[in-house]
């Protein structure tokens, strides 16, 4: 049922985008409105579902990364591509492997982290990954073992963690790697945003 609800929400988002594009097209000359509207429809649809290359994969566009109107518990915007899902209950299609590390993140975050790791390695900096996407059940277990962050522990309340959106990664960093991250991570969309957790880096769209 979660999959059906997510699909329905996604279809609704695309319909709203298409409606907006069509409305914008109506402002043109009467003789060109239908053509412009058709072009707008095709453009929006292509952005949302990919161009059908036959590879079995889709390409996320800037529209997918734009704020959906929903926010995470911490107030940060939730990307359109994740709207309709629940924290810690993302389908396999919403997360992607980070190289051969055995870790997974929201697809754009995974791709950017791969680039970040390659850049660091090219400069002689070793960065490891200790944690990435967390299911809701994993978040519950983490609270049990490490306590709530709000009470001095190290775990977010289940259902509120950026790890549950595949939007955060915990890294194994020595002093050299930590300094490199603080200087370069922003170029790849990652930020050190949690006090007391210098290993925690969140992907910001």
């Amino acid at each position: 049922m979660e999959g059906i609800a997510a699909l329905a929400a996604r279809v609704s988002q695309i319909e709203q985008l298409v409606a907006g594009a069509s409305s914008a097209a109506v402002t043109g000359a009467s003789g060109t409105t239908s053509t412009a509207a058709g072009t707008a429809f095709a453009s929006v649809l292509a952005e949302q579902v990919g161009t059908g290359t036959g590879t079995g994969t889709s390409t996320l566009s800037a529209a997918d990364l734009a704020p959906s109107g929903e926010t995470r518990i911490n107030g940060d915007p939730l990307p359109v591509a994740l709207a309709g899902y629940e924290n810690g209950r993302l389908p396999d299609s919403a997360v992607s492997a980070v190289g051969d590390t055995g870790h997974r993140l929201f697809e754009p975050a995974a791709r950017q982290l791969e680039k970040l790791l390659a850049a660091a390695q090219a400069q002689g900096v070793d960065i490891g990954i200790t944690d990435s996407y967390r299911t809701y059940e994993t978040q519950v277990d983490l609270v049990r073992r490490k306590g709530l962050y709000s009470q001095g522990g190290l775990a977010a309340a289940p259902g509120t963690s950026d790890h549950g959106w595949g939007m955060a990664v915990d890294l194994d960093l020595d002093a050299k790697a930590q300094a490199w991250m603080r200087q370069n991570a922003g170029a790849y969309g990652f930020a050190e945003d949690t006090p007391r957790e210098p290993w925690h880096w969140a992907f910001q769209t």
Side-chain angles (χ1 to χ4, degrees), residues 69-91:
E70 296 182 44
T71 59
R72 290 171 262 171
I73 298 298
N74 62 10
D76 291 337
L78 184 68
V80 167
L82 294 178
Y85 298 131
E86 294 181 35
N87 185 293
R89 303 189 190 281
L90 302 184

Side-chain angles (χ1 to χ4, degrees), residues 145-203:
R145 292 186 293 108
K146 298 190 175 182
L148 285 169
Y149 185 89
S150 61
Q151 298 175 6
L154 294 175
T160 72
S161 174
D162 272 354
H163 286 280
W165 292 119
M167 298 276 285
V169 63
D170 288 347
L171 301 176
D172 182 9
L173 305 167
D174 59 18
K176 179 180 178 180
Q178 187 75 56
W180 189 93
M181 284 293 295
R182 287 171 174 164
Q183 182 175 358
N184 298 283
Y188 300 90
F190 286 87
E192 180 184 8
D193 69 344
T194 305
R196 296 194 282 117
E197 295 188 3
W199 57 84
H200 176 99
W201 293 78
F203 182 66

Side-chain angles (χ1 to χ4, degrees), residues 34-131:
S34 60
T35 300
T39 301
F41 176 89
S43 176
V44 171
L45 187 61
E47 285 181 352
Q48 296 303 306
V49 301
T51 55
T53 60
T55 62
T57 60
S58 61
T59 301
L60 292 176
S61 69
D64 292 295
L65 298 178
S68 65
E70 296 182 44
T71 59
R72 290 171 262 171
I73 298 298
N74 62 10
D76 291 337
L78 184 68
V80 167
L82 294 178
Y85 298 131
E86 294 181 35
N87 185 293
R89 303 189 190 281
L90 302 184
D92 289 341
S93 60
V95 290
S96 181
V98 181
D100 59 359
T101 64
H103 288 275
R104 298 183 301 158
L105 290 173
F106 173 50
E107 186 185 6
R111 300 291 79 80
Q112 287 300 103
L113 185 58
E114 288 174 344
K115 294 177 183 178
L116 181 154
L117 295 174
Q121 186 174 47
Q123 296 179 39
V125 177
D126 292 323
I127 296 175
I129 303 174
T130 61
D131 207 357

